[in-house]
Amino acid sequence: MNANKKAILLILITTFLTSAAQILFKTTANDLVFDIVSIITNYKLLIGLLLYLVGGILVIISFRYGEITILYPILATSYVWVNFLSNYFFEEQINVFKWTGIAAIIIGVSLLGFGKKNSASFKEVEHAN
């Protein structure tokens, strides 16, 4: 597996982990009591924080293997996964505006990926003239 594909895979794994963490945060939000004992014994909160920590480490590792301008926008796909997970776990509806946003995110991330392969940079175009 080449470095760029490895980086993209790590970022995608991160989006799944952080989306799962957000679902755990939502499930614990209504029952959370803001005292130290309740916080450190709330397993859903702790698992969510652990998922975020692992996700952060994976992002740092992925930046080692790929371009940040390609990788960072892929993190926006977390919004897509959270919409689907929220629909499944909390029966939150995905309306036309959410579907439009999901489509925009997917199209945007795809365009950034294709832009890397198929287009010259501004500097390359400038030097060619």
Side-chain angles (χ1 to χ4, degrees):
M1 177 181 293
N2 72 26
N4 200 41
K5 287 181 182 177
K6 182 177 183 176
I8 290 170
L9 179 62
L10 289 172
I11 287 289
L12 285 173
I13 291 169
T14 298
T15 65
F16 294 124
L17 293 175
T18 57
S19 297
Q22 291 179 30
I23 297 303
L24 288 169
F25 292 158
K26 170 72 173 171
T27 60
T28 198
N30 292 335
D31 301 326
L32 189 61
V33 178
F34 290 97
D35 68 71
I36 192 70
V37 174
S38 295
I39 290 173
I40 63 173
T41 59
N42 188 318
Y43 74 93
K44 289 179 184 177
L45 177 63
L46 295 176
I47 293 171
L49 290 171
L50 178 65
L51 291 175
Y52 260 106
L53 175 65
V54 171
I57 292 168
L58 291 179
V59 167
I60 293 166
I61 293 169
S62 71
F63 287 165
R64 174 182 233 178
Y65 298 108
E67 295 180 34
I68 192 170
T69 56
I70 300 299
L71 298 174
Y72 196 77
I74 296 171
L75 290 173
T77 60
S78 292
Y79 295 108
V80 175
W81 313 134
V82 167
N83 268 284
F84 293 139
L85 291 170
S86 296
N87 178 262
Y88 181 79
F89 287 105
F90 309 119
E91 297 180 3
E92 293 182 8
Q93 298 302 306
I94 303 177
N95 61 29
V96 68
F97 298 105
K98 290 179 184 178
W99 279 115
T100 303
I102 289 168
I105 289 168
I106 293 170
I107 291 168
V109 169
S110 298
L111 288 174
L112 287 168
F114 287 122
K116 165 78 169 95
K117 296 177 197 171
N118 299 330
S119 66
S121 70
F122 286 121
K123 288 180 183 179
E124 290 171 347
V125 172
E126 191 176 281
H127 289 300
N129 294 326

